Amino acid sequence: MDTPTALGEFLRTRRAQLQPEDVGLPSHGTRRRVPGLRREELALLAGVSITYYTHLEQGQSTNASDSVLDALARALRLTPDEHAHLHNLARPPRAKRAPSPRPEYARDTTRRLIGAMPQVPAVVLDGRNNVLAWNRLGHALLAGHLDFASPDDPAVRPNLTRMLFLDPHTRELYTDWKSEARVALAALRLVAGRNPEDRALAELIGSLMLQSPDFASLWSKHPVRDCTVGTKTLHHPVVGPLTLDFENLHLTDGTNHRMLLYSAPESSPSDAGLRMLSSLTAGEAGTGRGTPEPAPAEADAGGER
């Protein structure tokens, strides 16, 4: 990702969301050629010169102090996630030649753990939302139309973000697809700001920009939001409506992998739906249908083979 360009885009989108009256400035009743605050107005609010702010927005300054960035965040009324994202974009790491990304794999201990939770839909993801493993119920919940063993092969490995924008089955799964897409893209923006040298992540974003007009439109608005817990409403093709809580649990083994877990309140209709899906999944596993290939050999601490 071009960090100086992304910084300028982020600042411009946030300027456009504020009107002078929102921040106590006179509007003078004149019609503006562009929406939102002008550069000079934001510079005034943040206490910096218009020249300095212009250089920052144009990517010509990469040494902004914490005090300047904090002042801009206050002036733009950024959320805590957006504030952190501003710091990430304004302080890119020193450019270096990034090696070609190597395929990652879930650790065998992680696979055993999610396999031991047959009543809990569980998915193991890497930092780019590639599916590294899932248990039977996680697979049945999110992607029963795909081969259970597909995460084991990097060439066909599912990616939850790509599926959300390009896979019709996934698009139909979410009751409010637009809200789900906004949240997913906002979380991806935050990850991209933290990892500007990640070539594989940049390639994923580039391909989605080309293949999905919806993704391109949302990406241009530069949404930013961390999303570790929350609720999703689904319409599952087998068991019908489900309202599920989810949590992203980051593993502490140095791999940057996380477990995405779903649950429903006990005795709720969604709990009954999950139990029904679990029983159907257990029946299919018992018949041998969809049995995965043997898992690859144990990964090292870096998650690579």
Side-chain angles (χ1 to χ4, degrees):
M1 184 177 67
D2 188 336
T3 303
T5 300
L7 174 61
E9 290 175 353
F10 180 62
L11 290 170
R12 285 190 291 273
T13 59
R14 293 311 180 270
R15 277 200 297 117
Q17 294 176 5
L18 291 175
Q19 300 301 322
E21 53 268 28
D22 295 333
V23 292
L25 293 177
S27 62
H28 304 296
T30 58
R31 185 173 181 179
R32 298 186 166 225
R33 292 179 296 175
V34 294
L37 295 178
R38 298 187 177 104
R39 284 176 176 171
E40 57 267 26
E41 291 170 334
L42 178 55
L44 175 65
L45 288 170
V48 299
S49 71
I50 177 59
T51 300
Y52 180 83
Y53 175 75
T54 300
H55 287 167
L56 189 65
E57 192 173 283
Q58 293 177 344
Q60 299 174 11
S61 176
T62 58
N63 61 349
S65 67
D66 287 342
S67 60
V68 167
L69 296 177
D70 293 344
L72 286 171
R74 288 192 296 270
L76 290 168
R77 301 186 174 183
L78 300 184
T79 67
D81 288 339
E82 291 171 335
H83 192 165
H85 186 61
L86 174 63
H87 276 264
N88 289 333
L89 295 181
R91 302 279 184 76
R94 183 172 299 176
K96 59 183 180 180
R97 185 179 180 85
S100 298
R102 297 171 57 190
E104 298 181 49
Y105 297 89
R107 293 168 56 90
D108 285 348
T109 51
T110 306
R111 291 171 177 270
R112 289 198 297 270
L113 178 60
I114 63 173
M117 300 186 293
Q119 302 298 322
V120 178
V123 183
V124 182
L125 302 167
D126 68 8
R128 308 176 192 99
N129 266 359
N130 292 313
V131 177
L132 304 182
W134 42 27
N135 64 9
R136 292 285 177 183
L137 190 52
H139 169 249
L141 177 67
L142 298 182
H145 61 293
L146 300 181
D147 184 355
F148 179 83
S150 58
D152 294 336
D153 182 357
V156 296
R157 178 174 287 165
N159 177 281
L160 291 191
T161 306
R162 185 182 295 279
M163 290 168 61
L164 183 62
F165 284 93
L166 300 180
D167 178 48
H169 295 276
T170 304
R171 195 174 186 119
E172 293 174 1
L173 179 64
Y174 292 96
T175 305
D176 187 351
W177 180 86
K178 289 184 178 180
S179 294
E180 181 67 22
R182 284 194 294 269
V183 170
L185 194 143
L188 184 66
R189 266 290 190 186
L190 198 60
V191 172
R194 293 169 179 162
N195 303 278
E197 301 299 321
D198 189 328
R199 290 171 50 189
L201 182 60
E203 290 169 1
L204 170 65
I205 293 167
S207 67
L208 286 172
M209 290 281 286
L210 293 174
Q211 297 177 64
S212 172
D214 289 324
F215 182 93
S217 176
L218 285 172
W219 190 257
S220 69
K221 296 178 174 61
H222 213 125
V224 176
R225 177 184 167 189
D226 202 3
C227 190
T228 56
V229 298
T231 301
K232 296 183 186 292
T233 56
L234 313 177
H235 189 86
H236 194 271
V238 176
V239 297
L242 295 170
T243 300
L244 302 177
D245 299 317
F246 72 90
E247 294 194 36
N248 279 288
L249 304 181
H250 288 266
L251 305 183
T252 58
D253 56 1
T255 59
N256 198 32
H257 297 169
R258 68 188 192 278
M259 286 193 297
L260 175 59
L261 307 176
Y262 296 87
S263 65
E266 188 175 358
S267 301
S268 66
S270 294
D271 181 45
L274 279 184
R275 289 179 182 276
M276 180 184 297
L277 187 60
S278 178
S279 65
L280 294 172
T281 301
E284 290 188 0
T287 65
R289 286 186 291 168
T291 301
E293 298 280 338
E298 178 80 24
D300 62 22
E304 295 173 345
R305 307 275 168 170

